[in-house]
C-alpha cells in the first residue's frame, strides 16, 4: 500500500492511488447495485433542464440542502457573546456536538457548550433530573457567571417547561437562587438559527431587565449585531466607527474576542463578551439598534416595551447601507459623522470607480440569511451588477416583499427573481437554466460550483473549507472594500482561466487590468 509511516499521504492523493481506485471500483460494481453509467448521465442531464426545474420548484414535501441551520445553533451563538456565559442545551449530546463543531469549524476556535444529555428515559419521563444534575455540574466544573439554557427537538416535543425546571433546580440547590440562568425555548423543527438568536437574546435581556421597575434613561445606545459569521471583524469594525463618532453604546452579545482568542500559552474558556453589569444597565439605554432585522423582531419588540426607541438595519454592507447606519446613529445620538469616516467613504467610492469596468453587467446568484441576501443584492447593484437569483431558505413573505421593493429601485434589479423558502437543490436548477457569472453564499455552494461551473464567493456562515475569512470585516466602508476585492479577484481568476492555453486562448493573458 502507498501509505506508510515514512510516507503519510493526505486523503486526497491517497485515494487516487491504484490500490484504492481498484478497491472503490470493486465496491461500486459488487455492492452498490447502481444503474448503468449512460442512464445516470441521461438522468443527470435531464435534471438540468427547464422541465425538471418546474418540477423541482413545485415540490413542497421535501427539502434538499437548506441554506439555514436550526434554532439552538443561533441560541448558542448569541449566548457566547456574554461575559463568562456557558450555553446549556436541554437535549441530547449529539445535537450539542453539532452546534459546537459548526461554530468551531467556522471560527477555528473552541466553542464551549454543554448538554443535559437527555436519552430515552428522559424522553419518556421528562428531563427534570437531567436539568437538576446538569446545572449543578456546569456550575461546579466550568465556573461560569451565567448559564444560558436553550432546547432541542426532544425537549420541545415532550413539552419540558424550562422556567419550571430552572426554578425547581434552584430549589434543589443546583445553583444559587440569585444565579443568572436565562432561558429560551428554541424548537429546532421550526424557524432557523436567526430565530434561535432572537429568542435567546430576548431571554437574556428579560432575565436582567424585568428586575428593573423604573429605568433611568441615559444617552447610551444598545447595538445587537445579530447572527453573523464575520462577527469577529464586523463587531470590531462597528465599534471602531462608533468610537470615531463619540457615540456611547453597549454591544449586546459581542463574540469578537470569544471566537478570536490569542495563542499565548493561556487557555481561555471565556474571553471577552458583554459584561453582565452592562447588560443589566442596558435597560436604561435610550435606544436599541439591530444590525439585522430578521435576527431580532421579538427582541426589538421587547426593547420597545421598555420605552426604548428601536431601529433595524439589513446587514450594513456597501456604500448606501453604511450611510444609513451612520445617519441613524447620528440621529439617535446627536453626534456628527466625523471627517475621518467621510474620507473612508470617499476612498471606497474611488475604489469602486477604479474597478467599474470589470464589474458592470456581471450577474449573480445570492443565497443565505434574509438580511445578508438583502445587503448583498443592494451592494451588487451599487457596483453595476445584476442579482438574478436571490434565495433565502429562512426568508418569508415579508422578506420577499422587501426584496422586490429594493430590486425595483434600480434598473440592475429588473431581471432579479426572489426565492423565499427554497433550498440549494432549487438553486441548482436555477443556475443550470439561467446561468450567472458568480455565486455568493457559504461553503455548501462548492457543490453547486463543481456541478454548474459557477465561481463561488464565500461570504456567509458557515465557511469550512477556507480559513480566517471571518477576521476581515464585511460591514462598513472598510468591510465593503473587502467584499469588493473578493468579487474582483473572482472576476480576474475567471479571466485568467479563460486565457491560459498557450497559442490558443492566451492572447489577452495580460498583467495590467
Amino acid at each position: 500500500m502507498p501509505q506508510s509511516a515514512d510516507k503519510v499521504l493526505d486523503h486526497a492523493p491517497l485515494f487516487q492511488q491504484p490500490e484504492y481506485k481498484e478497491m472503490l471500483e470493486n465496491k461500486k460494481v459488487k455492492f452498490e447495485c447502481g444503474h448503468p453509467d449512460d442512464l445516470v448521465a441521461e438522468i443527470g442531464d435531464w435534471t438540468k433542464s427547464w422541465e425538471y426545474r418546474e418540477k423541482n420548484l413545485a415540490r413542497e414535501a421535501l427539502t434538499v440542502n437548506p441554506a439555514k441551520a436550526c434554532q439552538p445553533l443561533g441560541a448558542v451563538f448569541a449566548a457566547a457573546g456574554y461575559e463568562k456565559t456557558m450555553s446549556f442545551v436541554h437535549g441530547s449530546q449529539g445535537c450539542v456536538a453539532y452546534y459546537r463543531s459548526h461554530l468551531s469549524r467556522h471560527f477555528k476556535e473552541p466553542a464551549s457548550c454543554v448538554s443535559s444529555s437527555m436519552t430515552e428515559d428522559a424522553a419518556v419521563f421528562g428531563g427534570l433530573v437531567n436539568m437538576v444534575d446538569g446545572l449543578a455540574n456546569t456550575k461546579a466544573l466550568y465556573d461560569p457567571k451565567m448559564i444560558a439554557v436553550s432546547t432541542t427537538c426532544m425537549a420541545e416535543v415532550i413539552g419540558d417547561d424550562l422556567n419550571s425546571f430552572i426554578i425547581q433546580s434552584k430549589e434543589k440547590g443546583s445553583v444559587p437562587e440569585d444565579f443568572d440562568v436565562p432561558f429560551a425555548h428554541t424548537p429546532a423543527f421550526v424557524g432557523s438559527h436567526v430565530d434561535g438568536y432572537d429568542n435567546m437574546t430576548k431571554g437574556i435581556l428579560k432575565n436582567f431587565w424585568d428586575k428593573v421597575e423604573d429605568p433611568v434613561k441615559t444617552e447610551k445606545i444598545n447595538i445587537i449585531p445579530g447572527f453573523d459569521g464575520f462577527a469577529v471583524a464586523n463587531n470590531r469594525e462597528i465599534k471602531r466607527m462608533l468610537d470615531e463618532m463619540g457615540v456611547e453604546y453597549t454591544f449586546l452579545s459581542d463574540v469578537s474576542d470569544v471566537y478570536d482568542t490569542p495563542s499565548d500559552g493561556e487557555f481561555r474558556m471565556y474571553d471577552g463578551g458583554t459584561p453582565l453589569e452592562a447588560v443589566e444597565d442596558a435597560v436604561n439605554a435610550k435606544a436599541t439598534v439591530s444590525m439585522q432585522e430578521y435576527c431580532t423582531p421579538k427582541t426589538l419588540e421587547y426593547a420597545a416595551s421598555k420605552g426604548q426607541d428601536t431601529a433595524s438595519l439589513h446587514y450594513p454592507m456597501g456604500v448606501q447601507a453604511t450611510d444609513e447606519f451612520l445617519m441613524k446613529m447620528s440621529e439617535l445620538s446627536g453626534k456628527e459623522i466625523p471627517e475621518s469616516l467621510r474620507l473612508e467613504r470617499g476612498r471606497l467610492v474611488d475604489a469602486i470607480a477604479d474597478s467599474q469596468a470589470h464589474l458592470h453587467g456581471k450577474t449573480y446568484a445570492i443565497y443565505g440569511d434574509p438580511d445578508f441576501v438583502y445587503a448583498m443584492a443592494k451592494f451588487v447593484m451599487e457596483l453595476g451588477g445584476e442579482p438574478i437569483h436571490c434565495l433565502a431558505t429562512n426568508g418569508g413573505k415579508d422578506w420577499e416583499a422587501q426584496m422586490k421593493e429594493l430590486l425595483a429601485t434600480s434598473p440592475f434589479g429588473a431581471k432579479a427573481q426572489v426565492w423565499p423558502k427554497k433550498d440549494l437543490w432549487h438553486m441548482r436548477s436555477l443556475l443550470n437554466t439561467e446561468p450567472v457569472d458568480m455565486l455568493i453564499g457559504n461553503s455548501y455552494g462548492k457543490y453547486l460550483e463543481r456541478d454548474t461551473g459557477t465561481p463561488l464567493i464565500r461570504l456567509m456562515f458557515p465557511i469550512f473549507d477556507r480559513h480566517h475569512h471571518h477576521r476581515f470585516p464585511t460591514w462598513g466602508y472598510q468591510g465593503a472594500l473587502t467584499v469588493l476585492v473578493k468579487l474582483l479577484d473572482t472576476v480576474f481568476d475567471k479571466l485568467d482561466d479563460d486565457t491560459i492555453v498557450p497559442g490558443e486562448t492566451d492572447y489577452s493573458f495580460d498583467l495590467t487590468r
Side-chain angles (χ1 to χ4, degrees):
M1 297 293 283
Q3 188 77 285
S4 69
D6 297 324
K7 184 182 179 183
V8 178
L9 298 178
D10 185 63
H11 72 280
L14 179 65
F15 288 109
Q16 294 300 315
Q17 300 303 310
E19 297 91 336
Y20 282 97
K21 283 189 173 182
E22 181 181 358
M23 178 184 70
L24 294 173
E25 183 62 28
N26 287 336
K27 174 178 176 290
K28 178 180 179 181
V29 172
K30 294 179 180 179
F31 302 110
E32 292 183 1
C33 302
H35 296 288
D37 290 342
D38 56 347
L39 180 59
V40 172
E42 178 185 344
I43 294 174
D45 289 340
W46 176 68
T47 63
K48 299 176 182 180
S49 68
W50 276 91
E51 180 186 10
Y52 179 79
R53 165 179 163 153
E54 296 307 313
K55 294 179 181 295
N56 190 12
L57 292 174
R59 65 179 157 88
E60 298 178 354
L62 174 69
T63 298
V64 183
N65 202 5
K68 67 170 187 174
C70 61
Q71 281 207 49
L73 176 68
V76 170
F77 182 85
Y82 294 90
E83 176 194 14
K84 289 195 70 175
T85 296
M86 178 61 71
S87 274
F88 181 104
V89 183
H90 187 46
S92 66
Q93 290 181 347
C95 292
V96 176
Y98 154 61
Y99 315 139
R100 293 179 61 184
S101 66
H102 231 56
L103 293 169
S104 64
R105 288 161 65 199
H106 174 86
F107 290 109
K108 311 305 178 199
E109 294 282 349
S112 298
C113 178
V114 299
S115 166
S116 61
S117 302
M118 293 176 67
T119 53
E120 291 85 350
D121 57 342
V124 174
F125 301 108
L128 176 59
V129 173
N130 300 68
M131 179 72 72
V132 172
D133 293 341
L135 290 178
N137 290 337
T138 303
K139 180 72 169 64
L141 291 172
Y142 304 112
D143 190 30
K145 290 187 69 172
M146 181 167 76
I147 300 174
V149 181
S150 54
T151 53
T152 67
C153 296
M154 182 189 296
E156 290 295 328
V157 167
I158 65 177
D160 280 0
D161 183 343
L162 291 185
N163 185 44
S164 173
F165 280 17
I166 292 169
I167 291 174
Q168 293 182 68
S169 296
K170 288 185 174 183
E171 290 173 349
K172 294 177 183 295
S174 293
V175 294
E177 285 285 344
D178 59 350
F179 189 80
D180 290 307
V181 186
F183 66 91
H185 284 275
T186 53
F189 44 79
V190 295
S192 73
H193 56 287
V194 299
D195 301 292
Y197 184 98
D198 187 21
N199 288 330
M200 179 52 77
T201 302
K202 179 183 177 182
I204 290 174
L205 296 186
K206 282 182 63 67
N207 177 77
F208 291 97
W209 291 7
D210 281 357
K211 303 172 186 176
V212 182
E213 294 183 0
D214 297 307
V216 180
K217 293 304 174 188
T218 66
E219 291 302 307
K220 283 188 175 182
I221 298 173
N222 297 324
I223 305 293
I224 306 177
F227 192 104
D228 176 26
F230 287 76
V232 165
N234 281 344
N235 288 8
R236 291 170 178 166
E237 182 64 14
I238 293 300
K239 286 186 281 187
R240 183 190 68 83
M241 297 174 77
L242 294 178
D243 289 340
E244 290 270 330
M245 290 182 66
V247 175
E248 296 182 72
Y249 63 89
T250 298
F251 249 72
L252 298 176
S253 184
D254 182 8
V255 301
S256 56
D257 290 339
V258 178
Y259 292 126
D260 191 26
T261 58
S263 183
D264 56 3
E266 177 187 350
F267 171 68
R268 296 167 174 83
M269 178 169 288
Y270 312 103
D271 197 17
T274 306
L276 300 189
E277 292 78 8
V279 182
E280 185 172 357
D281 181 64
V283 71
N284 299 314
K286 67 186 300 185
T288 293
V289 176
S290 168
M291 308 302 279
Q292 299 188 67
E293 176 181 328
Y294 290 97
C295 284
T296 52
K298 294 179 182 177
T299 302
L300 288 187
E301 182 181 18
Y302 175 68
S305 74
K306 295 297 181 179
Q308 297 183 9
D309 293 331
T310 61
S312 57
L313 306 169
H314 292 291
Y315 208 87
M317 177 173 60
V319 181
Q320 186 178 353
T322 304
D323 291 349
E324 292 169 355
F325 163 67
L326 292 176
M327 288 188 291
K328 175 56 67 174
M329 297 309 298
S330 178
E331 173 192 333
L332 291 172
S333 68
K335 303 288 186 179
E336 292 290 326
I337 300 173
E339 181 64 18
S340 59
L341 295 180
R342 296 180 189 274
L343 289 173
E344 286 184 21
R345 184 186 192 277
R347 294 183 186 114
L348 172 61
V349 172
D350 180 66
I352 293 173
D354 291 342
S355 306
Q356 184 65 24
H358 295 284
L359 294 172
H360 181 82
K362 290 292 184 290
T363 56
Y364 301 82
I366 307 166
Y367 67 90
D369 290 342
D371 291 293
F372 169 79
V373 176
Y374 185 100
M376 195 71 244
K378 188 172 188 175
F379 188 32
V380 159
M381 292 191 295
E382 286 182 349
L383 301 176
E386 300 180 33
I388 301 299
H389 305 299
C390 301
L391 183 149
T393 307
N394 48 356
K397 292 182 178 179
D398 290 343
W399 172 77
E400 181 182 13
Q402 280 188 326
M403 284 296 302
K404 289 181 176 179
E405 182 178 349
L406 168 69
L407 295 165
T409 63
S410 169
F412 298 113
K415 299 178 182 177
Q417 301 169 79
V418 184
W419 303 103
K421 304 297 183 185
K422 301 301 183 184
D423 55 45
L424 294 188
W425 190 251
H426 291 119
M427 179 64 86
R428 178 180 179 273
S429 284
L430 301 176
L431 294 177
N432 278 313
T433 51
E434 294 181 274
V436 297
D437 294 313
M438 283 174 269
L439 174 66
I440 300 175
N442 59 26
S443 285
Y444 291 112
K446 70 185 301 175
Y447 300 103
L448 293 173
E449 179 180 41
R450 181 176 64 184
D451 197 14
T452 67
T454 312
L456 171 66
I457 303 170
R458 295 159 177 81
L459 286 168
M460 254 299 297
F461 178 93
I463 299 174
F464 293 152
D465 58 338
R466 299 292 186 272
H467 287 203
H468 309 305
H469 286 209
H470 63 278
R471 300 180 192 275
F472 299 91
T474 57
W475 288 357
Y477 302 126
Q478 293 297 110
L481 190 59
T482 300
V483 176
L484 175 66
V485 170
K486 286 180 180 290
L487 299 181
L488 287 166
D489 282 352
T490 304
V491 170
F492 295 142
D493 285 343
K494 184 66 167 60
L495 277 175
D496 284 343
D497 287 343
D498 291 344
T499 58
I500 204 170
V501 181
E504 293 185 23
T505 63
D506 65 345
Y507 303 110
S508 296
F509 194 61
D510 56 300
L511 290 175
T512 304
R513 288 172 177 157

